[in-house]
């Protein structure tokens, strides 16, 4: 991912650091699971970037149920280099996944909640709860997922926004 911040707590705006992950996935009768690696690249703008390189394990699963889709994705990033003047990045990020189809291409589920635990601080630094409304449409013969989401972060001392509203369009490409 490559996030863009419109305004941070210190007044900066611009691109954040890039995170890349690669999972090897395995399909089972109940769903899929994957294991792999995640990396943090210090590509962000001044005042936004952690100025650190990081790497760590990633894993997740999704299970198809009679009522929808449920799962979890976990990324663990630990500093391996970078600017020593900045604090290390040693975090675990857990993203719960829940999606319930409503019919006619509509579904409701969790937003892209990233619950973050900072190992150096010994506490959670992000505790979001959110919901999304999704619509699958056809645009020029290609499937596109439209997403409207709302998220509230219940971490009192965090530097991120308390409330986030998201509007996303995802082009879905076949295998």
């Amino acid at each position: 991912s490559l996030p863009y911040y419109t305004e941070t707590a210190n007044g900066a705006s611009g691109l954040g650091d890039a995170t890349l992950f690669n999972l090897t996935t395995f399909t089972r009768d109940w769903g899929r699971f994957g294991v792999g690696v995640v990396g943090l690249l210090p590509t962000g703008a001044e005042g936004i970037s952690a100025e650190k390189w990081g790497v760590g394990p990633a894993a997740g699963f999704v299970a198809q149920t009679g009522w929808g889709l449920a799962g979890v994705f976990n990324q663990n990033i630990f500093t391996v280099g970078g600017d020593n003047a900045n604090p290390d990045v040693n975090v675990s990020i857990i993203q719960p996944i829940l999606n319930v189809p409503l019919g006619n291409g509509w579904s409701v589920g969790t937003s892209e909640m990233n619950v973050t635990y900072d190992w150096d601080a010994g506490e959670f630094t992000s505790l979001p709860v959110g919901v999304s409304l999704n619509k699958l449409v056809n645009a020029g013969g290609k499937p596109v997922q439209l997403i409207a989401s709302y998220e509230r972060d219940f971490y009192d001392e965090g530097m991120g926004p308390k409330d986030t509203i998201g509007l996303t369009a995802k082009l879905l490409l076949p295998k």
Side-chain angles (χ1 to χ4, degrees), residues 91 115-118 121 123-127 153 155 157-160:
V91 297
V115 177
T116 305
Y117 185 82
D118 184 324
E123 64 182 1
F124 285 95
T125 57
S126 177
L127 290 170
D153 191 344
Y155 180 70
E157 300 170 25
M159 291 180 51

Side-chain angles (χ1 to χ4, degrees), residues 24-28 30-35:
T24 299
T25 59
F26 305 91
T27 302
R28 298 292 183 255
W30 51 266
R32 285 185 176 183
F33 73 95
V35 293

